Amino acid sequence: NEAKKDSCFEKRKTQMASSSYFLVIALLALASWQTMASDPSPLQDFCVAENSSHVLVNGFVCKDPKDVKAEDFFLAAKLDMPRDTNTNKVGSNVTLINVMRLPGLNTLGISLARIDYAPLGENPPHAHPRATEILTVLEGTLYAGFVTSNPDNKFLSKVLNKGDVFVFPEGLIHFQFNPNPYKPAVAIAALSSQNPGAITIANAVFGSKPAISDDVLAKAFQVEKNTVDWLQAQFWADNHN
């Protein structure tokens, strides 16, 4: 009987060890997937982008460290200066500092933007396919929000005053609107990618080149085709500079 008990005990220990092993493997796989979902972590101090290289990689080829200078990490961006918000119909101007403008950002997984809003101007509904965004209001007031993914499509919004901070999760449609009809607003945003990308929803849907079939869009939005044709005929300006 004692031998039988010992055998059962050993068998149970083996099963528990096996279960623990597979649990650890699953957790490591999950952690690995989460890591791969964002910009890859650098494997050296820096990898300044070599923009003149013709080699195609996911990101940019590294400049030889011996040729790296302080200027590779510097940009006289004049982010303290107001931007012109009258260049487009939406009344906003996004000045993005990403790896294309600041080579030292390559592989560091971060970028920055100044956003100027005219009175009643907005940064229209858009998404960043590769970045989470954290925004803080420097001047004025903003009404900001985002919509969660299907099937809930829950809308979360907040009125932000000077000094307030709001986060827009990666890939979700979001916007900012200046509700003041008399005063402009200014915000600074940090994004968790060297090249976050931006998909402005109206521009992508109604301003694509070539145009999406009006049959497709009329069915999707449940409107008449002449309404889609009118929307596609508008000038869908980009507010990013």
Side-chain angles (χ1 to χ4, degrees):
N1 286 340
E2 289 297 327
K4 191 173 182 180
K5 286 182 182 178
D6 289 343
S7 175
C8 291
F9 179 70
E10 289 300 326
K11 187 177 180 181
R12 200 171 295 124
K13 275 176 57 179
T14 302
Q15 290 174 339
M16 290 175 63
S18 177
S19 299
S20 299
Y21 171 78
F22 285 112
L23 178 60
V24 169
I25 293 298
L27 289 173
L28 286 173
L30 180 61
S32 174
W33 177 85
Q34 292 288 352
T35 300
M36 292 186 291
S38 302
D39 284 10
S41 298
L43 299 178
Q44 58 263 344
D45 289 344
F46 50 76
C47 171
V48 172
E50 180 56 85
N51 293 323
S52 61
S53 174
H54 297 294
V55 178
L56 299 180
V57 297
N58 184 23
F60 291 92
V61 173
C62 301
K63 179 187 284 191
D64 189 328
K66 297 193 298 294
D67 299 328
V68 170
K69 302 176 182 178
E71 285 73 20
D72 293 317
F73 301 92
F74 171 80
L75 180 66
K78 298 181 180 178
L79 291 184
D80 58 321
M81 303 293 292
R83 266 49 178 181
D84 186 1
T85 55
N86 297 313
T87 58
N88 55 70
K89 293 181 180 180
V90 296
S92 66
N93 190 318
V94 179
T95 304
L96 177 64
I97 310 299
N98 62 6
V99 68
M100 275 74 87
R101 300 188 65 185
L102 188 56
L105 287 175
N106 194 37
T107 75
L108 298 184
I110 193 168
S111 55
L112 180 75
R114 172 186 169 122
I115 312 166
D116 291 76
Y117 310 82
L120 299 181
E122 73 171 7
N123 190 12
H126 63 283
H128 301 294
R130 295 179 290 276
T132 292
E133 175 182 348
I134 182 168
L135 176 141
T136 183
V137 179
L138 299 184
E139 295 292 341
T141 299
L142 291 176
Y143 172 53
F146 65 87
V147 180
T148 65
S149 57
N150 299 349
D152 294 337
N153 297 134
K154 185 176 182 180
F155 176 47
L156 302 171
S157 64
K158 195 77 176 174
V159 174
L160 309 176
N161 297 305
K162 184 176 179 178
D164 289 345
V165 173
F166 200 73
V167 174
F168 304 105
E170 180 175 340
L172 297 187
I173 296 172
H174 60 283
F175 70 90
Q176 306 100 39
F177 172 71
N178 178 9
N180 194 311
Y182 307 108
K183 294 181 179 180
V186 181
I188 287 284
L191 301 110
S192 63
S193 173
Q194 66 180 36
N195 183 23
I199 302 170
T200 304
I201 308 307
N203 296 36
V205 173
F206 297 110
S208 67
K209 299 178 183 62
I212 300 172
S213 165
D214 55 4
D215 289 310
V216 172
L217 296 181
K219 187 77 170 179
F221 287 93
Q222 296 294 290
V223 296
E224 298 296 325
K225 285 205 293 185
N226 59 358
T227 302
V228 173
D229 295 338
W230 181 84
L231 286 167
Q232 289 180 321
Q234 304 307 302
F235 179 66
W236 297 102
D238 187 7
N239 67 335
H240 286 67
N241 295 298

